[in-house]
Amino acid sequence: MMVSLDPGIRVSAPGEHAVQRTVRVPLWTGLGSGVLHPFSELDPVVLSEILTDLTSLIEPAADSEATS
């Protein structure tokens, strides 16, 4: 799985863009395999863990918007 962001993250300036948008989250069989799979093929527990991880990525942004 890889999360694609817009704009991306530059190695030389990781904090350059405070606001980013998730473009896609492809699920592959292996690095560089090119074989995509639907999330419906995942074990429910694994899918739950992935969704929890993805949700945790957006929570800090949601918290900071609520306080501003």
Side-chain angles (χ1 to χ4, degrees):
M1 179 178 76
M2 180 180 80
V3 178
S4 297
L5 302 172
D6 181 37
I9 300 172
R10 289 188 342 173
V11 174
S12 61
E16 180 179 17
H17 302 288
V19 178
Q20 293 175 313
R21 180 174 63 95
T22 302
V23 178
R24 62 187 163 141
V25 182
L27 183 63
W28 292 311
T29 55
L31 183 62
S33 71
V35 180
L36 293 171
H37 293 278
F39 281 83
S40 61
E41 291 181 0
L42 292 174
D43 175 82
V45 174
V46 172
L47 179 58
S48 175
E49 292 294 323
I50 289 173
L51 292 175
T52 299
D53 290 344
L54 291 172
T55 302
S56 72
L57 293 174
I58 62 169
E59 286 179 353
D63 290 345
S64 65
E65 288 175 10
T67 59
S68 47

